[in-house]
Amino acid sequence: MTEPTTRREVRLAAHFPGVNHHTVWSHPDAGSNIDFASFRHLAQTAERGLFDFFFLAEGLRLRERKGLIHDLDVVGRPDTIPVLAALAAVTERLGLIGTINATFNEPDQLAKEFASLDLLSDGRAGWNVVTSSDAFTGENFRRGGYLDAADRYVRAADLVAAARQLWDSWDDDPIDPFGKALLREGAVRDFSRTSEQFDIAGTFGTPRPAQGHPVILQAGDSADGRDFGARTADAIFARWWETPEKRRESFADFKRRAASFGRGPDELLIFPGVSFALGDTEQEARENDREIRRGQITPQTAIALLEHVWNRDLSGYDPDGPLPAIEPDRSEKAIVKGQSRRNDAPDLADRYRAIAAEKNLSIRELIIEVQASRTFVGTPKTVARALADAVDNGEADGYILVPHLIPAGLDEFVDSVVPELQDLGVYRTEYPGETLRENLGLRPAGAQPVADPASHRVAS
């Protein structure tokens, strides 16, 4: 293909996935998902590779499947904010983004935690805003899992706006230069907010974050989630669709929605989550990829993931046999408690059947097949070129890499693919800024449009 005159910059981030079907936890080189040494190794490797940020999900409640603890879960490990705060002490330039649910947290505590993380890390904090209407998860918090599904983005928008209001209640430089008092007069202002979700007032107790506002990430892929992210977030943790056409369509959709809110294309960055399998030759890479995917999708895992789509107990089915002839249960009662149903679930079973029929796949082979599209496979040179081409083709602004091994799963990528990206001229050779916002090339805090939270109510 003809090389573009000017290639777009590739951005990279690292996801610490935890124990789930993305990791091969049974591999002899796999380490702990709980020990701080594992978090430190992955974060320091990402920083060595000049990644933009380290990304950590959260777990709100141990999930249950058929009355037992669901064993494919990220919970059961240290909480998000303390882990990121500890990583701030052992890294210097890497951004630190954590998922904190907007449904179950209150403005003052949340704003204080992210302001503190941003101050302690010298401006490297970010908040991945997620929502939940899952009553099972809500029982862990209050009111028996309250919050109608139609209101989850109303509360999320209100919470983000409230947090930004609290952060803005302090001046950037509040200290009295004449020493007549600790704080300059007027540098800290009272706040009050009365809305559908909150009735709060007082004086915020933590200084303004180093970035003004920590970077906001958002991961919802429904139309309502996309609108919320396009209006409110700085970046999107996006889905990597199966074909280039779907990826370009999804990417353009986010940018169009952002433009409808008066935002420029570079004010909302799109980071799909992807994996990789490397080898010295293309053949070796394909063999490594096949081995990784079989390690990720064990026979038991294949049945568990299919049950999530069918919403039925499929334990009596042979993972090496055909897909169930029985129709999925589309009722609201989920077989896995504590996990949102997939947005495209209504037609997902039909698509699975079509793929299995076309390629004559068993249950396990199908699950392995549908997990493959998000993986870049090849030599370091061909993977680097594919990553760069997808950015040039309008499929992404960058990638959140999900390694299959913890904690050393990024080592080979940083040592071999990053230099290839640099040789292509599409990847940095040093961090360009001091803060996460600067390194991402984002506008200063406060540039995002101010929305009426009620505008995010989902129509019934």
Side-chain angles (χ1 to χ4, degrees):
M1 71 180 278
T2 304
E3 294 287 349
T5 305
T6 303
R7 306 208 66 167
R8 295 181 65 218
E9 178 184 9
V10 173
R11 300 181 179 280
L12 296 173
H15 182 26
F16 190 102
V19 177
N20 54 33
H21 62 277
H22 300 303
T23 56
V24 184
W25 58 269
S26 59
H27 192 282
D29 294 334
S32 170
N33 278 267
I34 297 175
D35 288 351
F36 180 67
S38 293
F39 295 99
R40 179 177 58 204
H41 183 106
L42 193 77
Q44 290 181 334
T45 303
E47 186 168 68
R48 180 163 59 82
L50 304 173
F51 284 29
D52 280 304
F53 58 87
F54 174 96
F55 174 70
L56 193 59
E58 70 169 349
L60 298 175
R61 177 175 179 175
L62 283 172
R63 294 170 183 162
E64 293 180 9
R65 176 169 166 265
K66 291 180 278 191
L68 301 173
I69 292 175
H70 187 41
D71 58 359
L72 289 175
D73 211 337
V74 300
V75 297
R77 68 185 188 195
D79 201 31
T80 298
I81 294 293
V83 171
L84 296 180
L87 290 177
V90 296
T91 55
E92 295 181 351
R93 309 296 289 276
L94 183 70
L96 303 164
I97 295 184
T99 299
I100 296 293
N101 195 291
T103 304
F104 305 117
N105 289 281
E106 299 298 315
D108 186 85
Q109 181 65 27
L110 185 143
K112 185 182 303 179
E113 289 178 347
F114 276 104
S116 299
L117 179 62
D118 204 52
L119 291 164
L120 291 172
S121 64
D122 293 327
R124 296 186 284 136
W127 170 21
N128 179 40
V129 184
V130 299
T131 66
S132 176
S133 59
D134 180 70
F136 175 80
T137 300
E139 290 172 357
N140 247 19
F141 293 86
R142 60 179 187 174
R143 304 179 200 173
Y146 87 103
L147 196 61
D148 189 277
D151 286 338
R152 58 182 183 150
Y153 287 113
V154 176
R155 194 180 201 282
D158 212 346
L159 183 61
V160 172
R164 284 172 170 164
Q165 184 178 350
L166 297 179
W167 294 328
D168 289 341
S169 67
W170 283 64
D171 282 353
D172 285 326
D173 182 14
I175 304 300
D176 183 355
F178 303 106
K180 296 179 180 178
L182 176 62
L183 298 175
R184 179 168 43 78
E185 185 177 354
V188 181
R189 298 165 292 281
D190 291 344
F191 69 87
S192 67
R193 185 175 186 84
T194 303
S195 62
E196 287 186 30
Q197 301 294 325
F198 307 115
D199 185 4
I200 55 176
T203 307
F204 188 50
T206 307
R208 182 174 167 82
Q211 298 179 95
H213 301 166
V215 168
I216 299 293
L217 197 73
Q218 202 270 335
D221 198 42
S222 66
D224 307 297
R226 284 173 172 250
D227 267 348
F228 170 65
R231 174 182 268 167
T232 307
D234 298 299
I236 301 293
F237 182 10
R239 177 176 174 178
W240 186 248
W241 293 83
E242 293 83 358
T243 65
E245 292 75 18
K246 287 186 175 180
R247 295 194 283 269
R248 284 195 293 271
E249 180 182 339
S250 175
F251 180 87
D253 178 71
F254 275 117
K255 301 288 183 174
R256 277 196 300 270
R257 290 173 190 264
S260 74
F261 298 120
R263 309 183 69 189
D266 295 331
E267 295 179 49
L268 183 70
L269 303 177
I270 312 302
F271 283 86
V274 301
S275 298
F276 55 89
L278 303 174
D280 290 337
T281 65
E282 296 295 329
Q283 177 62 28
E284 183 180 85
R286 286 193 292 272
E287 291 172 0
N288 288 340
D289 175 52
R290 190 157 43 245
E291 187 69 21
I292 291 168
R293 285 194 280 150
R294 290 187 66 81
Q296 290 169 323
I297 309 298
T298 64
Q300 297 90 339
T301 301
I303 293 294
L305 292 177
L306 197 69
E307 285 181 336
H308 185 53
V309 177
W310 251 253
N311 197 32
R312 290 185 182 277
D313 182 352
L314 304 177
S315 57
Y317 284 80
D318 180 1
D320 294 321
L323 266 66
I326 190 172
E327 288 299 310
D329 178 359
R330 306 192 194 282
S331 65
E332 291 298 319
K333 187 178 180 181
I335 192 170
V336 178
K337 293 184 176 181
Q339 185 167 343
S340 299
R341 304 281 291 276
R342 293 186 62 175
N343 297 326
D344 52 358
D347 70 343
L348 189 56
D350 294 337
R351 285 193 276 141
Y352 276 17
R353 281 179 170 141
I355 296 171
E358 178 186 352
K359 300 186 178 182
N360 191 29
L361 302 177
S362 67
I363 291 175
R364 188 183 182 199
E365 290 169 336
L366 170 77
I367 298 299
I368 290 173
E369 175 75 14
V370 297
Q371 297 291 322
S373 63
R374 59 197 301 271
T375 301
F376 285 82
V377 181
T379 67
K381 185 181 289 295
T382 58
V383 166
R385 183 173 290 276
L387 292 168
D389 287 348
V391 169
D392 279 337
N393 292 334
E395 300 172 34
D397 288 307
Y399 306 93
I400 296 179
L401 299 181
V402 186
H404 71 279
L405 277 182
I406 295 297
L410 279 183
D411 292 20
E412 184 181 11
F413 185 96
V414 167
D415 291 336
S416 62
V417 181
V418 165
E420 295 289 349
L421 289 168
Q422 291 169 329
D423 285 347
L424 289 173
V426 299
Y427 195 70
R428 62 179 55 138
T429 55
E430 60 181 12
Y431 281 108
E434 298 293 329
T435 70
L436 174 57
R437 188 171 289 280
E438 290 171 351
N439 287 328
L440 289 171
L442 296 170
R443 296 176 67 185
Q448 298 85 358
V450 177
D452 174 6
S455 67
H456 288 289
R457 178 164 291 110
V458 178
S460 58

